[in-house]
Amino acid sequence: MLTLNTAIEASKRLLVSQFIPVILGEIGIGKTSRVLKELGDYLLALLGVKEVERIVFPCNYLSREDFVINALNKGKLTSFITDLLPRYSGKDKAFLIVFDDYTKSSKEIDAIITSLIEFGGVTGTDYKLPFHTYFAFTGNRLSDRSNDRKLPQHLINRTGLFECLFGDEDRKAWKTWAFQNNIHEFVIAFLNHFTDQFTCEEADHNGVKRTPRQWEKVSKVFSSLSDEEKRSPLVSTLASAFVGEGSARAFAGFVKLVNQLPDISKILAKDPSIKAVSEIQILHLITQSLVNRCETEEDIEASIHFFSDTCGAREFTNTFIRDLLTKKPELVKTVAITRFRTENKDFVI
């Protein structure tokens, strides 16, 4: 089965050919946010317009009346289009309309959505979509058992459907997103180490299922705790509300390893008293702590020295450099990074 990353790339090719992508995948893996960001950015570059307005229709909440209001006009029943649909007459702006969670929608909106994508307007009205309007659909798989319906055949025949899973490529994409959205460094470090904790096939007995979206919630709550609370049983209790008891216990146990971290300031100062670290979980925590702290040539050099020379952990040197450049791409031109890449020709960002 495809990864979400592959489905996104394939969707771009459909847009070029004026076809409509449908991406079905697990709950909470970032389908909607990635479609909006990546397909919108792609259209912006492809069309050369000044702006791409990105519109999300939360289809699980919409009814036909949300699109069209029926009203009396001089005693006659007339349809009026609501402000939900875009109105624009120029050619320097494009629209990306995402029908989100369509597999959870009511069947009563099928006809009006079909009218929009097939005829570029709403049957029974004089409404026409603006020039440069593109569509995408997202939804969940029937196998996710989240009360979703199968897409009607007439919509399937007018779209290109991709069913996907959250894979290794998606974990890398999530990390980029996580750095940009201030996901807590401990959550990033935990998921770097326990990659199988991103998602799970089955929800727990209460229906709680871990997903990237749920880990974002863990990050927000964890970030709000005091230093003392972050070392208390409260971490496991709060995390279990979002990712289930087993994952919550694993995360809380991981967080407690912070007490074993060496002094990050001493690492950056190349203090000779800093001892080598061999435990992988702690190295993951150190990596993210250094990524957050590094700002200068000297910081980068000291971090590389710690991983490569003090710990002899080449793979963590690579992880550190990749994550640092993901979070702070402006550092790519520093002498320290240039030297590292020159000395390590096999290194790929």
Side-chain angles (χ1 to χ4, degrees):
M1 190 175 289
L2 302 177
T3 63
L4 175 57
N5 203 64
T6 302
I8 292 285
E9 289 304 310
S11 294
K12 295 175 182 177
R13 303 303 179 269
L14 291 191
L15 291 178
V16 170
S17 303
Q18 301 292 312
F19 292 121
I20 300 170
V22 177
I23 298 180
L24 303 182
E26 300 167 89
I27 298 167
I29 62 173
K31 299 182 296 294
T32 306
S33 59
R34 289 194 64 183
V35 164
L36 286 170
K37 175 72 171 67
E38 296 176 46
L39 295 193
D41 288 353
Y42 181 73
L43 288 173
L44 191 64
L46 177 71
L47 301 172
V49 292
K50 293 181 180 178
E51 177 189 358
V52 173
E53 184 175 335
R54 303 157 211 230
I55 302 170
V56 180
F57 290 160
C59 293
N60 50 330
Y61 299 117
L62 292 177
S63 67
R64 185 180 184 282
E65 287 70 29
D66 289 318
F67 290 98
V68 178
I69 296 175
N70 293 309
L72 285 174
N73 182 17
K74 297 180 181 179
K76 204 180 265 190
L77 194 63
T78 309
S79 295
F80 294 93
I81 299 296
T82 69
D83 290 335
L84 198 64
L85 291 166
R87 298 174 186 273
Y88 187 71
S89 57
K91 293 188 177 182
D92 60 346
K93 179 178 179 179
F95 296 86
L96 174 62
I97 297 177
V98 179
F99 298 114
D100 189 37
D101 271 341
Y102 203 85
T103 50
K104 287 185 171 62
S105 67
S106 166
K107 293 180 180 179
E108 68 171 13
I109 72 169
D110 285 347
I112 200 166
I113 300 305
T114 302
S115 174
L116 283 169
I117 67 175
E118 186 171 3
F119 304 112
V122 177
T123 304
T125 76
D126 60 359
Y127 175 78
K128 293 296 178 185
L129 285 163
F131 188 72
H132 282 329
T133 297
Y134 294 79
F135 301 101
F137 287 74
T138 67
N140 300 128
R141 306 166 303 169
L142 294 180
S143 59
D144 293 320
R145 290 178 288 184
S146 53
N147 298 319
D148 292 272
R149 68 180 175 109
K150 188 176 181 179
L151 287 177
Q153 194 63 49
H154 66 275
L155 275 180
I156 292 176
N157 289 342
R158 290 170 173 82
T159 59
L161 191 149
F162 302 112
E163 188 172 346
C164 60
L165 290 169
F166 192 83
D168 290 340
E169 297 170 340
D170 303 315
R171 283 188 274 272
K172 293 176 183 176
W174 179 87
K175 191 188 292 187
T176 299
W177 174 89
F179 285 133
Q180 294 169 349
N181 289 271
N182 298 315
I183 299 301
H184 198 282
E185 63 192 72
F186 292 178
V187 173
I188 295 174
F190 176 76
L191 293 174
N192 269 349
H193 182 58
F194 297 104
T195 56
D196 61 333
Q197 289 287 340
F198 268 100
T199 62
C200 61
E201 284 297 317
E202 298 292 333
D204 69 10
H205 63 284
N206 289 319
V208 177
K209 185 177 180 180
R210 63 178 183 266
T211 67
R213 183 191 299 158
Q214 296 299 87
W215 283 112
E216 178 188 1
K217 295 174 183 177
V218 171
S219 171
K220 287 182 178 178
V221 172
F222 185 75
S223 297
S224 71
L225 301 179
S226 67
D227 289 344
E228 183 177 349
E229 289 171 331
K230 286 174 181 171
R231 295 189 292 270
S232 75
L234 184 60
V235 171
S236 180
T237 302
L238 291 171
S240 67
F242 303 114
V243 295
E245 292 179 4
S247 295
R249 285 195 298 270
F251 177 66
F254 184 79
V255 168
K256 287 181 180 178
L257 294 174
V258 172
N259 294 328
Q260 301 177 39
L261 288 184
D263 189 326
I264 300 300
S265 296
K266 288 185 177 181
I267 292 176
L268 294 176
K270 286 189 177 180
D271 190 317
S273 67
I274 289 292
K275 304 297 183 186
V277 175
S278 59
E279 189 170 346
I280 291 177
Q281 294 185 52
I282 296 177
L283 283 167
H284 276 297
L285 282 166
I286 295 171
T287 299
Q288 297 311 315
S289 296
L290 287 171
V291 165
N292 275 349
R293 291 279 298 274
C294 275
E295 300 292 346
T296 67
E297 292 273 0
E298 291 77 13
D299 291 343
I300 300 171
E301 291 281 9
S303 300
I304 293 173
H305 171 77
F306 172 75
F307 289 120
S308 295
D309 299 337
T310 304
C311 299
R314 163 65 192 273
E315 68 274 21
F316 278 93
T317 310
N318 295 347
T319 300
F320 163 74
I321 297 294
R322 288 194 189 97
D323 287 1
L324 180 67
L325 295 181
T326 299
K327 183 166 187 175
K328 302 172 182 177
E330 68 277 6
L331 295 177
V332 71
K333 295 182 180 180
T334 57
V335 173
I337 296 295
T338 302
R339 183 186 303 115
F340 176 81
R341 296 178 69 183
T342 300
E343 294 173 352
N344 299 273
K345 298 292 187 182
D346 60 332
F347 175 76
V348 179
I349 296 177

